[in-house]
Amino acid sequence: MTRIDSGVRTDVLVIGGGVIGLAVAWRTAQRGPSVVVVDPRHGGGAVQVAAGMLAPVTELQYGEEPLLRLGMASNARYAEFAAELTELTGLDTGYRQTGTLAVALDSDDREELRELHAFHRRLGLDSHWLTGRECRKLEPMLAPGVRGGLHVTDDHQVDGRRLSEALVLACEKSGVGLHRAEAVELLVEDGRAVGARLSTGEELFADTVVLAAGSRSHLLPGLPAGVLPAIRPVKGQVLRLRIPPVYAPFLSRNVRAVVRGQHVYLVPRADGELVVGATTEEQGYDTEVTAGGVYELLRDAHELVPGITELPLVETNAGLRPGSPDNAPLLGPTALPHLVAATGHYRNGVLLTPVTGDLLAEYLTTGTVPGLAAPFSPDRFAPRASA
Ligand code: GLY
């Protein structure tokens, strides 16, 4: 890790070294500016728990078409982004073009999925209706009771842990300063962001500060009121199982369903890991794994794929998704001059990593907000003066 002396200046200071902050730093440094990222653990954060589904279509909610466009744009960049990372670092990100099968377990679910399919078709998305038998032909481990499903051929996967390791190394190789410390205060002078004070007592000064601290972004002391909305932490508990070679290929693609109103998904990796996620819990900054969370995930996943009970359970974990008030990210300049936001990615942080890196790097080096980022301006939450 790079050592920074107190009082040093940089062009861009990124607060938060999760995948979003790292991608912004890497892509910006590639264009020339000097960049420093501060975080107690670079490559940590929600990505260490995330399953790594790249699911612009199967995570889509009604009314979220601008987010769909952003997600599709990021998905389209992923293969090249991952290949570039691997070429630079020699590390594999686990990016795989597997597609996703979203299935229905009863006739109500089937009707809901049929409506979703119609919505997908209206939007021109690659989403194909399959009967239960066709679903089982694709994935023989599915429960016999599966009533039908949607095969979404462009929703893929990446291994978030490998991705973040590659991004850390890519930053190092591209001259980004990775400073291991917590930003404890945003420094503001003459009505503009000028840097940060760190847990080590040092002060770092920058022309532009990028706030990419996930669900803690709005809590940074020194941030003037109203600049960022509250970013709520949305807990997700996740399980990791191992597929012994004798059972391979256990699943060939991401498999998901909504069971009793809760999303459950299974993401099979090439290295034999099977990730089962995720709960959605809004109860503050709690990352405790609970017996109830593990029970519900296993129960719902077992309904989808009964054979999972044979697999070794190797890890349980919980992370916090950063949810903005409208569940879409905040990308670009804020009301505080020289403070830029890259946060609030909610359920789509891993998916949106490439596009966030590119869009923010473009803004930071040209001063122009790219059109794709415009709907996600932090301004949309700015308090308006009443008439
Ligand atoms: N994108 C999956 C999740 O947030 O659970």
Side-chain angles (χ1 to χ4, degrees):
M1 299 280 163
T2 313
R3 173 95 202 131
I4 312 277
D5 293 326
S6 188
V8 158
R9 278 204 81 80
T10 181
D11 293 328
V12 177
L13 169 62
V14 181
I15 297 177
V19 282
I20 294 294
L22 292 173
V24 171
W26 177 44
R27 288 312 210 190
T28 304
Q30 282 181 317
R31 290 171 175 239
S34 58
V35 186
V36 170
V37 183
V38 292
D39 197 299
R41 184 187 164 202
H42 296 88
V47 73
Q48 291 297 326
V49 177
M53 270 186 312
L54 305 175
V57 177
T58 50
E59 291 268 305
L60 177 67
Q61 306 285 320
Y62 296 103
E64 286 187 347
E65 285 84 342
L67 187 57
L68 171 70
R69 275 192 292 282
L70 191 70
M72 298 286 278
S74 206
N75 212 21
R77 289 168 201 224
Y78 236 104
E80 216 178 301
F81 185 80
E84 209 182 318
L85 276 174
T86 299
E87 196 182 319
L88 179 62
T89 65
L91 298 175
D92 176 19
T93 61
Y95 173 70
R96 286 214 296 160
Q97 297 193 334
T98 53
T100 294
L101 190 59
V103 301
L105 286 168
D106 60 31
S107 49
D108 287 347
D109 294 349
R110 189 172 55 188
E111 280 326 293
E112 257 181 56
L113 267 190
R114 281 251 186 231
E115 275 177 37
L116 198 58
H117 183 226
F119 179 53
H120 290 167
R121 301 306 292 170
R122 281 199 298 280
L123 294 172
L125 302 172
D126 235 331
S127 167
H128 309 277
W129 181 259
L130 301 182
T131 63
R133 185 184 297 230
E134 288 168 329
C135 290
R136 281 187 297 280
K137 202 161 164 209
L138 278 186
E139 293 295 350
M141 295 305 285
L142 281 175
V146 163
R147 306 291 292 268
L150 288 181
H151 188 203
V152 177
T153 46
D154 288 335
D155 276 8
H156 301 311
Q157 62 165 280
V158 71
D159 183 330
R161 292 175 178 176
R162 289 174 189 256
L163 174 74
S164 70
E165 208 184 322
L167 277 167
V168 167
L169 192 51
C171 281
E172 284 175 346
K173 283 180 174 280
S174 307
V176 173
L178 298 180
H179 196 47
R180 197 179 296 166
E182 194 175 341
V184 294
E185 187 185 349
L186 179 72
L187 299 175
V188 178
E189 276 174 25
D190 300 328
R192 51 159 289 195
V194 296
R197 178 168 298 118
L198 308 185
S199 47
T200 51
E202 297 156 293
E203 290 179 341
L204 291 183
F205 294 96
D207 291 337
T208 308
V209 179
V210 178
L211 194 41
S215 58
R216 296 192 179 274
S217 297
H218 64 298
L219 299 178
L220 184 62
L223 186 68
V227 170
L228 280 194
I231 307 292
R232 60 191 208 289
V234 184
K235 177 177 169 182
Q237 300 191 47
V238 169
L239 315 176
R240 283 176 161 79
L241 295 87
R242 188 165 45 76
I243 302 169
V246 60
Y247 289 128
F250 188 79
L251 294 173
S252 303
R253 54 186 57 67
N254 308 331
V255 170
R256 61 185 302 156
V258 176
V259 183
R260 284 174 280 271
Q262 297 288 336
H263 290 275
V264 63
Y265 46 78
L266 292 86
V267 178
R269 300 214 198 283
D271 63 6
E273 183 177 76
L274 178 67
V275 187
V276 177
T279 62
T280 302
E281 304 165 65
E282 304 218 11
Q283 51 199 36
Y285 292 88
D286 157 41
T287 51
E288 202 83 67
V289 173
T290 63
V294 174
Y295 164 72
E296 283 171 22
L297 287 171
L298 284 176
R299 180 194 62 194
D300 296 350
H302 175 255
E303 275 189 42
L304 270 187
V305 178
I308 62 152
T309 49
E310 301 297 321
L311 305 179
L313 174 62
V314 293
E315 186 185 321
T316 59
N317 217 330
L320 299 172
R321 307 173 183 90
S324 76
D326 62 7
N327 293 334
L330 280 73
L331 305 176
T334 68
L336 180 68
H338 298 254
L339 180 73
V340 171
T343 187
H345 291 69
Y346 189 41
R347 300 182 69 93
N348 297 301
V350 179
L351 168 67
L352 296 176
T353 293
V355 83
T356 301
D358 289 348
L359 295 177
L360 270 282
E362 189 173 336
Y363 171 69
L364 290 166
T365 52
T366 65
T368 301
V369 175
L372 199 52
F376 306 100
S377 164
D379 262 5
R380 70 193 189 278
F381 300 115
R384 310 267 171 235
S386 49

